[in-house]
PDB file of all heavy atoms in Angstrom:
ATOM      1  N   GLY A 543       0.820  -1.163  -0.006  1.00 94.00           N
ATOM      2  CA  GLY A 543      -0.020  -0.006   0.017  1.00 94.00           C
ATOM      3  C   GLY A 543       0.848   1.297  -0.053  1.00 94.00           C
ATOM      4  O   GLY A 543       2.078   1.225   0.062  1.00 94.00           O
ATOM      5  N   PRO A 544       0.239   2.369  -0.005  1.00 95.00           N
ATOM      6  CA  PRO A 544       0.974   3.712   0.020  1.00 95.00           C
ATOM      7  C   PRO A 544       1.465   3.939   1.460  1.00 95.00           C
ATOM      8  O   PRO A 544       1.027   3.397   2.386  1.00 95.00           O
ATOM      9  CB  PRO A 544      -0.067   4.740  -0.398  1.00 95.00           C
ATOM     10  CG  PRO A 544      -1.416   4.093   0.039  1.00 95.00           C
ATOM     11  CD  PRO A 544      -1.196   2.577  -0.081  1.00 95.00           C
ATOM     12  N   PRO A 545       2.504   4.857   1.556  1.00 95.00           N
ATOM     13  CA  PRO A 545       2.905   5.259   2.907  1.00 95.00           C
ATOM     14  C   PRO A 545       1.770   5.895   3.630  1.00 95.00           C
ATOM     15  O   PRO A 545       0.862   6.526   3.060  1.00 95.00           O
ATOM     16  CB  PRO A 545       3.985   6.310   2.546  1.00 95.00           C
ATOM     17  CG  PRO A 545       4.465   6.049   1.090  1.00 95.00           C
ATOM     18  CD  PRO A 545       3.244   5.522   0.452  1.00 95.00           C
ATOM     19  N   GLN A 546       1.718   5.636   4.975  1.00 95.00           N
ATOM     20  CA  GLN A 546       0.590   6.207   5.751  1.00 95.00           C
ATOM     21  C   GLN A 546       1.242   6.808   6.988  1.00 95.00           C
ATOM     22  O   GLN A 546       2.301   6.512   7.494  1.00 95.00           O
ATOM     23  CB  GLN A 546      -0.256   5.017   6.159  1.00 95.00           C
ATOM     24  CG  GLN A 546      -0.940   4.340   4.990  1.00 95.00           C
ATOM     25  CD  GLN A 546      -1.972   3.239   5.467  1.00 95.00           C
ATOM     26  OE1 GLN A 546      -2.133   3.118   6.634  1.00 95.00           O
ATOM     27  NE2 GLN A 546      -2.618   2.592   4.599  1.00 95.00           N
ATOM     28  N   LYS A 547       0.401   7.752   7.429  1.00 95.00           N
ATOM     29  CA  LYS A 547       0.695   8.476   8.706  1.00 95.00           C
ATOM     30  C   LYS A 547       0.088   7.670   9.885  1.00 95.00           C
ATOM     31  O   LYS A 547      -0.927   6.875   9.620  1.00 95.00           O
ATOM     32  CB  LYS A 547       0.286   9.941   8.818  1.00 95.00           C
ATOM     33  CG  LYS A 547      -1.260  10.084   8.807  1.00 95.00           C
ATOM     34  CD  LYS A 547      -1.678  11.593   8.869  1.00 95.00           C
ATOM     35  CE  LYS A 547      -1.514  12.104  10.315  1.00 95.00           C
ATOM     36  NZ  LYS A 547      -2.392  11.591  11.310  1.00 95.00           N
ATOM     37  N   SER A 548       0.526   7.898  11.056  1.00 95.00           N
ATOM     38  CA  SER A 548      -0.147   7.322  12.228  1.00 95.00           C
ATOM     39  C   SER A 548      -1.571   7.929  12.320  1.00 95.00           C
ATOM     40  O   SER A 548      -1.700   9.055  11.886  1.00 95.00           O
ATOM     41  CB  SER A 548       0.713   7.583  13.550  1.00 95.00           C
ATOM     42  OG  SER A 548      -0.090   7.398  14.677  1.00 95.00           O
ATOM     43  N   GLY A 549      -2.457   7.202  12.946  1.00 94.00           N
ATOM     44  CA  GLY A 549      -3.827   7.726  13.165  1.00 94.00           C
ATOM     45  C   GLY A 549      -3.889   8.776  14.179  1.00 94.00           C
ATOM     46  O   GLY A 549      -4.908   9.481  14.347  1.00 94.00           O
ATOM     47  N   LEU A 550      -2.720   8.982  14.918  1.00 95.00           N
ATOM     48  CA  LEU A 550      -2.724  10.106  15.949  1.00 95.00           C
ATOM     49  C   LEU A 550      -1.549  11.048  15.633  1.00 95.00           C
ATOM     50  O   LEU A 550      -0.571  10.653  14.999  1.00 95.00           O
ATOM     51  CB  LEU A 550      -2.476   9.451  17.375  1.00 95.00           C
ATOM     52  CG  LEU A 550      -3.590   8.441  17.835  1.00 95.00           C
ATOM     53  CD1 LEU A 550      -3.107   7.820  19.111  1.00 95.00           C
ATOM     54  CD2 LEU A 550      -4.882   9.261  18.036  1.00 95.00           C
ATOM     55  N   SER A 551      -1.628  12.202  16.167  1.00 96.00           N
ATOM     56  CA  SER A 551      -0.517  13.162  15.950  1.00 96.00           C
ATOM     57  C   SER A 551       0.663  12.934  16.934  1.00 96.00           C
ATOM     58  O   SER A 551       0.894  13.744  17.772  1.00 96.00           O
ATOM     59  CB  SER A 551      -1.056  14.633  16.101  1.00 96.00           C
ATOM     60  OG  SER A 551      -2.100  14.858  15.258  1.00 96.00           O
ATOM     61  N   LEU A 552       1.312  11.810  16.688  1.00 97.00           N
ATOM     62  CA  LEU A 552       2.319  11.344  17.704  1.00 97.00           C
ATOM     63  C   LEU A 552       3.501  12.224  17.754  1.00 97.00           C
ATOM     64  O   LEU A 552       4.150  12.193  18.724  1.00 97.00           O
ATOM     65  CB  LEU A 552       2.623   9.859  17.319  1.00 97.00           C
ATOM     66  CG  LEU A 552       1.510   8.852  17.615  1.00 97.00           C
ATOM     67  CD1 LEU A 552       1.903   7.509  17.312  1.00 97.00           C
ATOM     68  CD2 LEU A 552       0.887   8.945  19.060  1.00 97.00           C
ATOM     69  N   VAL A 553       3.901  12.834  16.692  1.00 98.00           N
ATOM     70  CA  VAL A 553       5.037  13.750  16.713  1.00 98.00           C
ATOM     71  C   VAL A 553       4.776  14.952  17.562  1.00 98.00           C
ATOM     72  O   VAL A 553       5.538  15.376  18.456  1.00 98.00           O
ATOM     73  CB  VAL A 553       5.450  14.218  15.291  1.00 98.00           C
ATOM     74  CG1 VAL A 553       6.582  15.155  15.323  1.00 98.00           C
ATOM     75  CG2 VAL A 553       5.828  13.055  14.470  1.00 98.00           C
ATOM     76  N   ASP A 554       3.490  15.554  17.402  1.00 97.00           N
ATOM     77  CA  ASP A 554       3.066  16.688  18.212  1.00 97.00           C
ATOM     78  C   ASP A 554       3.096  16.237  19.730  1.00 97.00           C
ATOM     79  O   ASP A 554       3.633  17.001  20.538  1.00 97.00           O
ATOM     80  CB  ASP A 554       1.732  17.159  17.778  1.00 97.00           C
ATOM     81  CG  ASP A 554       1.773  18.075  16.622  1.00 97.00           C
ATOM     82  OD1 ASP A 554       2.697  18.478  16.199  1.00 97.00           O
ATOM     83  OD2 ASP A 554       0.624  18.359  16.211  1.00 97.00           O
ATOM     84  N   TYR A 555       2.524  15.153  19.946  1.00 97.00           N
ATOM     85  CA  TYR A 555       2.345  14.754  21.414  1.00 97.00           C
ATOM     86  C   TYR A 555       3.609  14.388  21.980  1.00 97.00           C
ATOM     87  O   TYR A 555       3.978  14.798  23.165  1.00 97.00           O
ATOM     88  CB  TYR A 555       1.395  13.540  21.497  1.00 97.00           C
ATOM     89  CG  TYR A 555       0.045  13.793  20.984  1.00 97.00           C
ATOM     90  CD1 TYR A 555      -0.715  12.683  20.496  1.00 97.00           C
ATOM     91  CD2 TYR A 555      -0.511  15.135  20.772  1.00 97.00           C
ATOM     92  CE1 TYR A 555      -2.050  12.966  20.028  1.00 97.00           C
ATOM     93  CE2 TYR A 555      -1.847  15.280  20.273  1.00 97.00           C
ATOM     94  CZ  TYR A 555      -2.560  14.260  19.836  1.00 97.00           C
ATOM     95  OH  TYR A 555      -3.875  14.474  19.328  1.00 97.00           O
ATOM     96  N   SER A 556       4.544  13.664  21.288  1.00 97.00           N
ATOM     97  CA  SER A 556       5.899  13.258  21.709  1.00 97.00           C
ATOM     98  C   SER A 556       6.700  14.504  21.977  1.00 97.00           C
ATOM     99  O   SER A 556       7.427  14.747  22.911  1.00 97.00           O
ATOM    100  CB  SER A 556       6.504  12.366  20.868  1.00 97.00           C
ATOM    101  OG  SER A 556       5.757  11.009  20.737  1.00 97.00           O
ATOM    102  N   GLY A 557       6.588  15.457  20.996  1.00 98.00           N
ATOM    103  CA  GLY A 557       7.308  16.800  21.095  1.00 98.00           C
ATOM    104  C   GLY A 557       6.966  17.534  22.292  1.00 98.00           C
ATOM    105  O   GLY A 557       7.716  18.139  23.010  1.00 98.00           O
ATOM    106  N   GLY A 558       5.607  17.513  22.532  1.00 98.00           N
ATOM    107  CA  GLY A 558       5.155  18.222  23.719  1.00 98.00           C
ATOM    108  C   GLY A 558       5.687  17.608  25.052  1.00 98.00           C
ATOM    109  O   GLY A 558       6.105  18.335  26.046  1.00 98.00           O
ATOM    110  N   ILE A 559       5.492  16.344  25.159  1.00 97.00           N
ATOM    111  CA  ILE A 559       6.177  15.689  26.385  1.00 97.00           C
ATOM    112  C   ILE A 559       7.588  15.933  26.503  1.00 97.00           C
ATOM    113  O   ILE A 559       8.080  16.234  27.590  1.00 97.00           O
ATOM    114  CB  ILE A 559       5.766  14.180  26.266  1.00 97.00           C
ATOM    115  CG1 ILE A 559       4.302  13.948  26.439  1.00 97.00           C
ATOM    116  CG2 ILE A 559       6.534  13.384  27.405  1.00 97.00           C
ATOM    117  CD1 ILE A 559       3.892  12.494  26.334  1.00 97.00           C
ATOM    118  N   ALA A 560       8.309  15.838  25.395  1.00 98.00           N
ATOM    119  CA  ALA A 560       9.790  16.139  25.460  1.00 98.00           C
ATOM    120  C   ALA A 560      10.055  17.528  25.990  1.00 98.00           C
ATOM    121  O   ALA A 560      10.963  17.833  26.765  1.00 98.00           O
ATOM    122  CB  ALA A 560      10.482  15.867  24.143  1.00 98.00           C
ATOM    123  N   ALA A 561       9.390  18.527  25.425  1.00 98.00           N
ATOM    124  CA  ALA A 561       9.486  19.906  25.855  1.00 98.00           C
ATOM    125  C   ALA A 561       9.182  20.003  27.372  1.00 98.00           C
ATOM    126  O   ALA A 561       9.838  20.830  28.066  1.00 98.00           O
ATOM    127  CB  ALA A 561       8.591  20.834  25.093  1.00 98.00           C
ATOM    128  N   ALA A 562       8.043  19.383  27.882  1.00 98.00           N
ATOM    129  CA  ALA A 562       7.752  19.479  29.214  1.00 98.00           C
ATOM    130  C   ALA A 562       8.884  19.000  30.104  1.00 98.00           C
ATOM    131  O   ALA A 562       9.298  19.500  31.122  1.00 98.00           O
ATOM    132  CB  ALA A 562       6.463  18.700  29.621  1.00 98.00           C
ATOM    133  N   LEU A 563       9.460  17.804  29.731  1.00 98.00           N
ATOM    134  CA  LEU A 563      10.723  17.320  30.463  1.00 98.00           C
ATOM    135  C   LEU A 563      11.812  18.332  30.429  1.00 98.00           C
ATOM    136  O   LEU A 563      12.417  18.566  31.458  1.00 98.00           O
ATOM    137  CB  LEU A 563      11.058  15.953  29.844  1.00 98.00           C
ATOM    138  CG  LEU A 563      12.260  15.313  30.404  1.00 98.00           C
ATOM    139  CD1 LEU A 563      12.142  15.004  31.830  1.00 98.00           C
ATOM    140  CD2 LEU A 563      12.651  14.032  29.567  1.00 98.00           C
ATOM    141  N   ALA A 564      12.025  18.874  29.334  1.00 98.00           N
ATOM    142  CA  ALA A 564      13.139  19.839  29.159  1.00 98.00           C
ATOM    143  C   ALA A 564      12.880  21.054  30.160  1.00 98.00           C
ATOM    144  O   ALA A 564      13.811  21.490  30.754  1.00 98.00           O
ATOM    145  CB  ALA A 564      13.300  20.315  27.780  1.00 98.00           C
ATOM    146  N   MET A 565      11.689  21.564  30.133  1.00 98.00           N
ATOM    147  CA  MET A 565      11.363  22.764  31.029  1.00 98.00           C
ATOM    148  C   MET A 565      11.541  22.332  32.465  1.00 98.00           C
ATOM    149  O   MET A 565      12.157  23.106  33.241  1.00 98.00           O
ATOM    150  CB  MET A 565       9.975  23.244  30.763  1.00 98.00           C
ATOM    151  CG  MET A 565       9.848  23.979  29.465  1.00 98.00           C
ATOM    152  SD  MET A 565       8.237  24.704  29.180  1.00 98.00           S
ATOM    153  CE  MET A 565       7.269  23.365  28.420  1.00 98.00           C
ATOM    154  N   VAL A 566      11.099  21.315  32.882  1.00 98.00           N
ATOM    155  CA  VAL A 566      11.192  20.926  34.310  1.00 98.00           C
ATOM    156  C   VAL A 566      12.625  20.739  34.683  1.00 98.00           C
ATOM    157  O   VAL A 566      13.082  21.157  35.810  1.00 98.00           O
ATOM    158  CB  VAL A 566      10.472  19.527  34.602  1.00 98.00           C
ATOM    159  CG1 VAL A 566      10.719  19.047  35.988  1.00 98.00           C
ATOM    160  CG2 VAL A 566       8.886  19.872  34.501  1.00 98.00           C
ATOM    161  N   SER A 567      13.396  20.069  33.835  1.00 98.00           N
ATOM    162  CA  SER A 567      14.823  19.892  34.112  1.00 98.00           C
ATOM    163  C   SER A 567      15.595  21.224  34.126  1.00 98.00           C
ATOM    164  O   SER A 567      16.421  21.489  34.950  1.00 98.00           O
ATOM    165  CB  SER A 567      15.463  19.064  32.923  1.00 98.00           C
ATOM    166  OG  SER A 567      14.907  17.841  32.872  1.00 98.00           O
ATOM    167  N   ALA A 568      15.328  22.166  33.206  1.00 98.00           N
ATOM    168  CA  ALA A 568      15.929  23.518  33.193  1.00 98.00           C
ATOM    169  C   ALA A 568      15.535  24.318  34.509  1.00 98.00           C
ATOM    170  O   ALA A 568      16.368  25.061  34.904  1.00 98.00           O
ATOM    171  CB  ALA A 568      15.612  24.200  31.872  1.00 98.00           C
ATOM    172  N   VAL A 569      14.354  24.284  34.842  1.00 98.00           N
ATOM    173  CA  VAL A 569      13.924  24.969  36.042  1.00 98.00           C
ATOM    174  C   VAL A 569      14.738  24.484  37.331  1.00 98.00           C
ATOM    175  O   VAL A 569      15.180  25.289  38.179  1.00 98.00           O
ATOM    176  CB  VAL A 569      12.395  24.832  36.340  1.00 98.00           C
ATOM    177  CG1 VAL A 569      11.960  25.282  37.689  1.00 98.00           C
ATOM    178  CG2 VAL A 569      11.560  25.565  35.257  1.00 98.00           C
ATOM    179  N   ARG A 570      14.886  23.163  37.316  1.00 97.00           N
ATOM    180  CA  ARG A 570      15.672  22.692  38.325  1.00 97.00           C
ATOM    181  C   ARG A 570      17.164  23.179  38.447  1.00 97.00           C
ATOM    182  O   ARG A 570      17.758  23.452  39.461  1.00 97.00           O
ATOM    183  CB  ARG A 570      15.718  21.097  38.346  1.00 97.00           C
ATOM    184  CG  ARG A 570      16.672  20.328  39.307  1.00 97.00           C
ATOM    185  CD  ARG A 570      16.102  20.442  40.723  1.00 97.00           C
ATOM    186  NE  ARG A 570      17.038  19.774  41.672  1.00 97.00           N
ATOM    187  CZ  ARG A 570      17.574  20.355  42.681  1.00 97.00           C
ATOM    188  NH1 ARG A 570      17.408  21.585  43.029  1.00 97.00           N
ATOM    189  NH2 ARG A 570      18.333  19.593  43.527  1.00 97.00           N
ATOM    190  N   HIS A 571      17.642  23.243  37.243  1.00 97.00           N
ATOM    191  CA  HIS A 571      19.063  23.754  36.939  1.00 97.00           C
ATOM    192  C   HIS A 571      19.033  25.318  37.472  1.00 97.00           C
ATOM    193  O   HIS A 571      19.950  25.667  38.130  1.00 97.00           O
ATOM    194  CB  HIS A 571      19.411  23.701  35.552  1.00 97.00           C
ATOM    195  CG  HIS A 571      20.585  24.551  35.183  1.00 97.00           C
ATOM    196  ND1 HIS A 571      21.931  24.078  35.405  1.00 97.00           N
ATOM    197  CD2 HIS A 571      20.799  25.723  34.565  1.00 97.00           C
ATOM    198  CE1 HIS A 571      22.869  24.930  35.033  1.00 97.00           C
ATOM    199  NE2 HIS A 571      22.209  25.984  34.457  1.00 97.00           N
ATOM    200  N   ALA A 572      17.990  26.035  37.091  1.00 98.00           N
ATOM    201  CA  ALA A 572      18.009  27.356  37.385  1.00 98.00           C
ATOM    202  C   ALA A 572      17.774  27.682  38.843  1.00 98.00           C
ATOM    203  O   ALA A 572      18.411  28.628  39.385  1.00 98.00           O
ATOM    204  CB  ALA A 572      16.852  28.171  36.647  1.00 98.00           C
TER     205      ALA A 572
END
């Protein structure tokens, strides 16, 4: 079949979780 995307916006969601982890880590550093 043709290439397909995931049924969910997993890049958006994973990017959001990664950013949340980065922010919490950086606040601890600050």
Side-chain angles (χ1 to χ4, degrees):
Q546 294 183 4
K547 70 179 285 292
S548 165
L550 300 172
S551 299
L552 292 182
V553 179
D554 276 354
Y555 303 156
S556 300
I559 291 175
L563 174 60
M565 285 187 274
V566 170
S567 301
V569 167
R570 175 70 178 122
H571 168 81

